[in-house]
Amino acid sequence: MPELPEVETVARRLQSRLPGATIADAHVLWGRTIAYPQPPERFSAEISGGVVNRVGRRAKSVVVYLDDGRVMTVALRMTGALILAASGAAPDPHARVVFDLADGRELRFRDARKFGRIGLYPGRGRRRVADVFARHGPEPLAPSFTAARLASRLRRRSARLKTLLLDQSFIAGVGNIYADEALWRARLHPLRRADTLTEAEVRRLHRAIRASLREGLAGGGASYRDYVDPDGEPGLAAERMRVYRRTGEPCFRCGRPIERIVVGARATHFCPRCQPAPEGETA
DNA sequence: ACGCCTACCTGCTTGC
DNA sequence: TGCAAGCAGGTAGGCG
């Protein structure tokens, strides 16, 4: 599932190939993909003629900055993918929005499960793009995301670590895969309460979050089923996971079988020896 | 603030 | 082999 490393990989690859391109037309094949503006025909009309200036990322969204200051956001959610296809490439049954570029290429938004959302916003004024991300927490790979900052945020919360790591208003970009990986690296149980962490544990968690995301990024993202980059290539990071989807397999640190529990309706993988259960928890 | 639920969706996997 | 149930999980919104 696309999380920060996957979305960042997509954004970087698009940044190397999209700036300067003119979006000649857009075909919306599944209307609900368009979050704003409505109706979708208006989106098509407004994006047409736009010229790509830069492609970046915020949280788990690909952000396309146009020359005129407007901004298109693409939230991939579960199965979304942005694919650059040559003109005349075979049609994709899961394409939800197709952007015709003036140079003949196509930028396709493919999304089997239709959870993905695309928006087109002014850079300033009403409905500006900043509002879209106003509720998101800090970017974990930004230099400003320090251990001290994480500590002060954790101190004020009593929720379980796993739940908090998935909360985009707490930290932006971490999803189920990297949450489990970060907690294993930090040797912290997913059910630990945030406000019970010692200073040393917070520092471990801070390093672990960043290391897990960086490793995912170095591998070009983790592909399990749907994730591919704009060239349709899968990433390599899934092969380096320490706990995610390794239920029953030996822990890389101590050899104990990895366990799977459900936290907040999400599959959660951890090592019962390296990540000791908090007081009062029998797991 | 927090946990828990439902809805949104489809396709792959599992079990009978 | 066929078919149905289970599962995957990011996010919004509602309730207590």
Side-chain angles (χ1 to χ4, degrees), chain A residues 52 54 61 77-78 81 97-98 104-105 117 128 130-131 150 154 183 189 191 216 218 238 257:
Chain A
V52 176
R54 184 170 74 83
S61 287
R77 299 275 180 93
M78 299 293 297
V97 180
V98 176
R105 293 179 298 170
R117 293 291 179 266
R128 64 189 189 281
D131 297 335
L150 177 62
L154 287 169
L183 290 171
H189 194 281
L191 297 180

Side-chain angles (χ1 to χ4, degrees), chain A residues 225-242:
Chain A
R225 193 160 296 155
D226 300 283
Y227 168 71
V228 289
D229 74 8
D231 298 313
E233 299 293 328
L236 305 172
E239 292 167 27
R240 298 180 206 167
M241 293 301 162
R242 311 298 202 278

